[in-house]
Amino acid sequence: MWATAWMESANEVIAPLLGLPELPVADLPEAPEEYEVGVLNWKTQALVQAAAGRPFIWVDDSITELDQTWVSTHHRGHALLHRVDSTIGLIDTDFVVIDDWLRDRRTPDQQREQGQGEQQG
């Protein structure tokens, strides 16, 4: 799911550059013209609402400790809020963090299936 000020344009501009299929776009409030320090990110509440208690990962360059705290208080499911450096973008270590988080959330059945697949492969 896209959660960006690009809104629908993310599917037209960004997705092809990354080799991604068309993705749903989060229903976000209007993006602020300027980001205020010490204020909850403009996307935080909308993303928690969209997750509706389900686990989710949010990768962004503007996540703060305030967002982390708010999500941990208001979201009843697991959530990974991962900040990336906007001058670099996603790098290998970011994908490791995401992969580790996903692996830690696998059910016992998923873990058994993974183990069987590794034995066969």
Side-chain angles (χ1 to χ4, degrees), residues 3 10 13 16 27 32 35 43-44 47 51 59 66 69 72 80 86 89 92 98 101 104 111 118:
V13 179
D27 186 18
Y35 295 106
K43 302 174 192 177
T44 306
L47 293 177
V59 178
L66 181 60
T69 301
S72 68
L80 171 64
S86 64
D92 289 343
I98 293 165
W101 189 87
D104 289 346
Q111 291 173 9
E118 290 173 357

PDB file of all heavy atoms in Angstrom, residues 3 10 13 16 27 32 35 43-44 47 51 59 66 69 72 80 86 89 92 98 101 104 111 118:
ATOM      1  N   ALA A   3       1.559   5.003   1.014  1.00  0.00           N
ATOM      2  CA  ALA A   3       1.168   5.997   2.017  1.00  0.00           C
ATOM      3  C   ALA A   3       2.083   7.194   1.801  1.00  0.00           C
ATOM      4  O   ALA A   3       3.053   7.410   2.516  1.00  0.00           O
ATOM      5  CB  ALA A   3       1.312   5.438   3.424  1.00  0.00           C
ATOM      6  N   ALA A  10       1.816   7.804  -7.260  1.00  0.00           N
ATOM      7  CA  ALA A  10       2.855   6.838  -6.897  1.00  0.00           C
ATOM      8  C   ALA A  10       2.785   5.609  -7.800  1.00  0.00           C
ATOM      9  O   ALA A  10       3.821   5.056  -8.180  1.00  0.00           O
ATOM     10  CB  ALA A  10       2.718   6.429  -5.431  1.00  0.00           C
ATOM     11  N   VAL A  13       4.210   6.878 -11.331  1.00  0.00           N
ATOM     12  CA  VAL A  13       5.582   7.376 -11.417  1.00  0.00           C
ATOM     13  C   VAL A  13       6.577   6.484 -10.674  1.00  0.00           C
ATOM     14  O   VAL A  13       7.582   6.066 -11.244  1.00  0.00           O
ATOM     15  CB  VAL A  13       5.666   8.828 -10.866  1.00  0.00           C
ATOM     16  CG1 VAL A  13       7.087   9.340 -10.921  1.00  0.00           C
ATOM     17  CG2 VAL A  13       4.730   9.748 -11.640  1.00  0.00           C
ATOM     18  N   PRO A  16       6.582   1.994 -11.431  1.00  0.00           N
ATOM     19  CA  PRO A  16       7.327   1.470 -12.581  1.00  0.00           C
ATOM     20  C   PRO A  16       8.853   1.539 -12.387  1.00  0.00           C
ATOM     21  O   PRO A  16       9.576   0.644 -12.819  1.00  0.00           O
ATOM     22  CB  PRO A  16       6.896   2.365 -13.747  1.00  0.00           C
ATOM     23  CG  PRO A  16       5.578   2.926 -13.334  1.00  0.00           C
ATOM     24  CD  PRO A  16       5.665   3.063 -11.836  1.00  0.00           C
ATOM     25  N   ASP A  27      -5.826   6.067   2.407  1.00  0.00           N
ATOM     26  CA  ASP A  27      -6.688   7.242   2.506  1.00  0.00           C
ATOM     27  C   ASP A  27      -6.071   8.161   3.550  1.00  0.00           C
ATOM     28  O   ASP A  27      -6.231   7.955   4.753  1.00  0.00           O
ATOM     29  CB  ASP A  27      -8.099   6.813   2.911  1.00  0.00           C
ATOM     30  CG  ASP A  27      -9.085   7.960   2.904  1.00  0.00           C
ATOM     31  OD1 ASP A  27      -8.788   9.003   2.279  1.00  0.00           O
ATOM     32  OD2 ASP A  27     -10.149   7.814   3.528  1.00  0.00           O
ATOM     33  N   PRO A  32       0.740  18.294   4.922  1.00  0.00           N
ATOM     34  CA  PRO A  32       1.037  19.679   5.337  1.00  0.00           C
ATOM     35  C   PRO A  32       2.079  20.302   4.404  1.00  0.00           C
ATOM     36  O   PRO A  32       2.874  19.594   3.782  1.00  0.00           O
ATOM     37  CB  PRO A  32       1.615  19.504   6.744  1.00  0.00           C
ATOM     38  CG  PRO A  32       2.179  18.131   6.752  1.00  0.00           C
ATOM     39  CD  PRO A  32       1.312  17.314   5.836  1.00  0.00           C
ATOM     40  N   TYR A  35       6.506  20.415   7.736  1.00  0.00           N
ATOM     41  CA  TYR A  35       6.438  19.484   8.865  1.00  0.00           C
ATOM     42  C   TYR A  35       6.827  20.216  10.135  1.00  0.00           C
ATOM     43  O   TYR A  35       7.852  20.879  10.184  1.00  0.00           O
ATOM     44  CB  TYR A  35       7.376  18.290   8.642  1.00  0.00           C
ATOM     45  CG  TYR A  35       6.974  17.434   7.470  1.00  0.00           C
ATOM     46  CD1 TYR A  35       7.678  17.461   6.280  1.00  0.00           C
ATOM     47  CD2 TYR A  35       5.869  16.598   7.555  1.00  0.00           C
ATOM     48  CE1 TYR A  35       7.302  16.684   5.202  1.00  0.00           C
ATOM     49  CE2 TYR A  35       5.481  15.809   6.485  1.00  0.00           C
ATOM     50  CZ  TYR A  35       6.203  15.854   5.312  1.00  0.00           C
ATOM     51  OH  TYR A  35       5.821  15.080   4.259  1.00  0.00           O
ATOM     52  N   LYS A  43       0.538  11.205   8.693  1.00  0.00           N
ATOM     53  CA  LYS A  43       0.054   9.904   8.215  1.00  0.00           C
ATOM     54  C   LYS A  43      -0.284   8.930   9.346  1.00  0.00           C
ATOM     55  O   LYS A  43      -0.997   7.951   9.129  1.00  0.00           O
ATOM     56  CB  LYS A  43       1.124   9.240   7.345  1.00  0.00           C
ATOM     57  CG  LYS A  43       1.564  10.032   6.153  1.00  0.00           C
ATOM     58  CD  LYS A  43       2.724   9.318   5.481  1.00  0.00           C
ATOM     59  CE  LYS A  43       3.420  10.183   4.463  1.00  0.00           C
ATOM     60  NZ  LYS A  43       4.577   9.519   3.882  1.00  0.00           N
ATOM     61  N   THR A  44       0.253   9.157  10.523  1.00  0.00           N
ATOM     62  CA  THR A  44       0.228   8.160  11.596  1.00  0.00           C
ATOM     63  C   THR A  44      -1.173   7.646  11.927  1.00  0.00           C
ATOM     64  O   THR A  44      -1.420   6.437  11.897  1.00  0.00           O
ATOM     65  CB  THR A  44       0.895   8.726  12.866  1.00  0.00           C
ATOM     66  OG1 THR A  44       2.204   9.185  12.521  1.00  0.00           O
ATOM     67  CG2 THR A  44       0.999   7.679  13.945  1.00  0.00           C
ATOM     68  N   LEU A  47      -2.805   5.607   9.080  1.00  0.00           N
ATOM     69  CA  LEU A  47      -2.232   4.287   8.860  1.00  0.00           C
ATOM     70  C   LEU A  47      -2.662   3.299   9.933  1.00  0.00           C
ATOM     71  O   LEU A  47      -2.945   2.134   9.644  1.00  0.00           O
ATOM     72  CB  LEU A  47      -0.712   4.369   8.778  1.00  0.00           C
ATOM     73  CG  LEU A  47      -0.195   5.116   7.547  1.00  0.00           C
ATOM     74  CD1 LEU A  47       1.322   5.211   7.577  1.00  0.00           C
ATOM     75  CD2 LEU A  47      -0.667   4.444   6.266  1.00  0.00           C
ATOM     76  N   ALA A  51      -4.790  -0.055   9.217  1.00  0.00           N
ATOM     77  CA  ALA A  51      -4.309  -1.365   9.667  1.00  0.00           C
ATOM     78  C   ALA A  51      -5.388  -2.104  10.455  1.00  0.00           C
ATOM     79  O   ALA A  51      -5.428  -3.338  10.434  1.00  0.00           O
ATOM     80  CB  ALA A  51      -3.051  -1.199  10.515  1.00  0.00           C
ATOM     81  N   VAL A  59       7.451   2.271   6.408  1.00  0.00           N
ATOM     82  CA  VAL A  59       8.803   2.730   6.106  1.00  0.00           C
ATOM     83  C   VAL A  59       8.683   4.157   5.593  1.00  0.00           C
ATOM     84  O   VAL A  59       7.958   4.420   4.639  1.00  0.00           O
ATOM     85  CB  VAL A  59       9.468   1.825   5.041  1.00  0.00           C
ATOM     86  CG1 VAL A  59      10.849   2.323   4.694  1.00  0.00           C
ATOM     87  CG2 VAL A  59       9.517   0.374   5.523  1.00  0.00           C
ATOM     88  N   LEU A  66       7.772  10.185  18.581  1.00  0.00           N
ATOM     89  CA  LEU A  66       6.383  10.502  18.895  1.00  0.00           C
ATOM     90  C   LEU A  66       5.434   9.570  18.136  1.00  0.00           C
ATOM     91  O   LEU A  66       4.465   9.060  18.702  1.00  0.00           O
ATOM     92  CB  LEU A  66       6.081  11.967  18.559  1.00  0.00           C
ATOM     93  CG  LEU A  66       4.671  12.463  18.854  1.00  0.00           C
ATOM     94  CD1 LEU A  66       4.348  12.336  20.346  1.00  0.00           C
ATOM     95  CD2 LEU A  66       4.529  13.910  18.403  1.00  0.00           C
ATOM     96  N   THR A  69       5.641   6.051  19.704  1.00  0.00           N
ATOM     97  CA  THR A  69       4.896   6.002  20.966  1.00  0.00           C
ATOM     98  C   THR A  69       3.395   5.990  20.716  1.00  0.00           C
ATOM     99  O   THR A  69       2.656   5.202  21.319  1.00  0.00           O
ATOM    100  CB  THR A  69       5.282   7.203  21.857  1.00  0.00           C
ATOM    101  OG1 THR A  69       6.684   7.149  22.107  1.00  0.00           O
ATOM    102  CG2 THR A  69       4.515   7.193  23.162  1.00  0.00           C
ATOM    103  N   SER A  72       2.319   2.568  19.363  1.00  0.00           N
ATOM    104  CA  SER A  72       2.361   1.515  20.390  1.00  0.00           C
ATOM    105  C   SER A  72       1.207   1.665  21.390  1.00  0.00           C
ATOM    106  O   SER A  72       0.753   0.678  21.958  1.00  0.00           O
ATOM    107  CB  SER A  72       3.702   1.505  21.108  1.00  0.00           C
ATOM    108  OG  SER A  72       3.874   2.657  21.888  1.00  0.00           O
ATOM    109  N   LEU A  80       5.830  -2.271  12.789  1.00  0.00           N
ATOM    110  CA  LEU A  80       7.216  -1.849  12.632  1.00  0.00           C
ATOM    111  C   LEU A  80       7.193  -0.490  11.955  1.00  0.00           C
ATOM    112  O   LEU A  80       6.728  -0.363  10.820  1.00  0.00           O
ATOM    113  CB  LEU A  80       8.012  -2.843  11.779  1.00  0.00           C
ATOM    114  CG  LEU A  80       9.420  -2.382  11.369  1.00  0.00           C
ATOM    115  CD1 LEU A  80      10.313  -2.208  12.590  1.00  0.00           C
ATOM    116  CD2 LEU A  80      10.031  -3.367  10.383  1.00  0.00           C
ATOM    117  N   SER A  86      16.310   9.876   3.893  1.00  0.00           N
ATOM    118  CA  SER A  86      15.777  10.325   2.605  1.00  0.00           C
ATOM    119  C   SER A  86      16.864  10.643   1.589  1.00  0.00           C
ATOM    120  O   SER A  86      16.604  10.652   0.389  1.00  0.00           O
ATOM    121  CB  SER A  86      14.882  11.550   2.800  1.00  0.00           C
ATOM    122  OG  SER A  86      15.632  12.637   3.298  1.00  0.00           O
ATOM    123  N   GLY A  89      17.762   6.575   0.735  1.00  0.00           N
ATOM    124  CA  GLY A  89      16.691   5.656   0.363  1.00  0.00           C
ATOM    125  C   GLY A  89      16.880   4.311   1.034  1.00  0.00           C
ATOM    126  O   GLY A  89      17.700   4.157   1.939  1.00  0.00           O
ATOM    127  N   ASP A  92      20.339  -2.170   1.879  1.00  0.00           N
ATOM    128  CA  ASP A  92      20.296  -3.564   2.317  1.00  0.00           C
ATOM    129  C   ASP A  92      19.957  -3.719   3.792  1.00  0.00           C
ATOM    130  O   ASP A  92      19.171  -4.593   4.162  1.00  0.00           O
ATOM    131  CB  ASP A  92      21.628  -4.263   2.024  1.00  0.00           C
ATOM    132  CG  ASP A  92      21.853  -4.494   0.537  1.00  0.00           C
ATOM    133  OD1 ASP A  92      20.872  -4.426  -0.231  1.00  0.00           O
ATOM    134  OD2 ASP A  92      23.008  -4.742   0.152  1.00  0.00           O
ATOM    135  N   ILE A  98      13.451  -5.302   8.045  1.00  0.00           N
ATOM    136  CA  ILE A  98      12.086  -5.675   7.657  1.00  0.00           C
ATOM    137  C   ILE A  98      11.947  -7.190   7.615  1.00  0.00           C
ATOM    138  O   ILE A  98      10.978  -7.752   8.145  1.00  0.00           O
ATOM    139  CB  ILE A  98      11.718  -5.037   6.306  1.00  0.00           C
ATOM    140  CG1 ILE A  98      11.643  -3.512   6.461  1.00  0.00           C
ATOM    141  CG2 ILE A  98      10.416  -5.606   5.763  1.00  0.00           C
ATOM    142  CD1 ILE A  98      11.636  -2.759   5.143  1.00  0.00           C
ATOM    143  N   TRP A 101      11.882  -8.662  11.124  1.00  0.00           N
ATOM    144  CA  TRP A 101      10.606  -8.394  11.773  1.00  0.00           C
ATOM    145  C   TRP A 101       9.529  -9.350  11.257  1.00  0.00           C
ATOM    146  O   TRP A 101       8.754  -9.903  12.043  1.00  0.00           O
ATOM    147  CB  TRP A 101      10.201  -6.940  11.539  1.00  0.00           C
ATOM    148  CG  TRP A 101       9.010  -6.502  12.328  1.00  0.00           C
ATOM    149  CD1 TRP A 101       9.006  -6.001  13.603  1.00  0.00           C
ATOM    150  CD2 TRP A 101       7.642  -6.509  11.908  1.00  0.00           C
ATOM    151  NE1 TRP A 101       7.718  -5.695  13.982  1.00  0.00           N
ATOM    152  CE2 TRP A 101       6.864  -6.003  12.971  1.00  0.00           C
ATOM    153  CE3 TRP A 101       7.000  -6.896  10.733  1.00  0.00           C
ATOM    154  CZ2 TRP A 101       5.481  -5.875  12.891  1.00  0.00           C
ATOM    155  CZ3 TRP A 101       5.614  -6.771  10.649  1.00  0.00           C
ATOM    156  CH2 TRP A 101       4.873  -6.261  11.716  1.00  0.00           C
ATOM    157  N   ASP A 104      10.048 -12.893  12.607  1.00  0.00           N
ATOM    158  CA  ASP A 104       9.662 -12.993  14.015  1.00  0.00           C
ATOM    159  C   ASP A 104       8.152 -13.101  14.194  1.00  0.00           C
ATOM    160  O   ASP A 104       7.689 -13.497  15.256  1.00  0.00           O
ATOM    161  CB  ASP A 104      10.169 -11.782  14.809  1.00  0.00           C
ATOM    162  CG  ASP A 104      11.669 -11.793  15.009  1.00  0.00           C
ATOM    163  OD1 ASP A 104      12.311 -12.842  14.779  1.00  0.00           O
ATOM    164  OD2 ASP A 104      12.210 -10.738  15.390  1.00  0.00           O
ATOM    165  N   GLN A 111       6.426 -21.385  10.034  1.00  0.00           N
ATOM    166  CA  GLN A 111       7.806 -21.764  10.314  1.00  0.00           C
ATOM    167  C   GLN A 111       8.077 -23.192   9.846  1.00  0.00           C
ATOM    168  O   GLN A 111       9.126 -23.479   9.267  1.00  0.00           O
ATOM    169  CB  GLN A 111       8.109 -21.621  11.809  1.00  0.00           C
ATOM    170  CG  GLN A 111       8.122 -20.179  12.260  1.00  0.00           C
ATOM    171  CD  GLN A 111       8.251 -20.028  13.761  1.00  0.00           C
ATOM    172  OE1 GLN A 111       8.496 -20.987  14.474  1.00  0.00           O
ATOM    173  NE2 GLN A 111       8.065 -18.813  14.250  1.00  0.00           N
ATOM    174  N   GLU A 118      13.008 -25.354   2.800  1.00  0.00           N
ATOM    175  CA  GLU A 118      14.469 -25.280   2.813  1.00  0.00           C
ATOM    176  C   GLU A 118      15.080 -26.661   2.698  1.00  0.00           C
ATOM    177  O   GLU A 118      16.123 -26.855   2.069  1.00  0.00           O
ATOM    178  CB  GLU A 118      14.952 -24.579   4.085  1.00  0.00           C
ATOM    179  CG  GLU A 118      14.641 -23.090   4.093  1.00  0.00           C
ATOM    180  CD  GLU A 118      14.953 -22.419   5.417  1.00  0.00           C
ATOM    181  OE1 GLU A 118      15.359 -23.108   6.375  1.00  0.00           O
ATOM    182  OE2 GLU A 118      14.777 -21.194   5.501  1.00  0.00           O
TER     183      GLU A 118
END
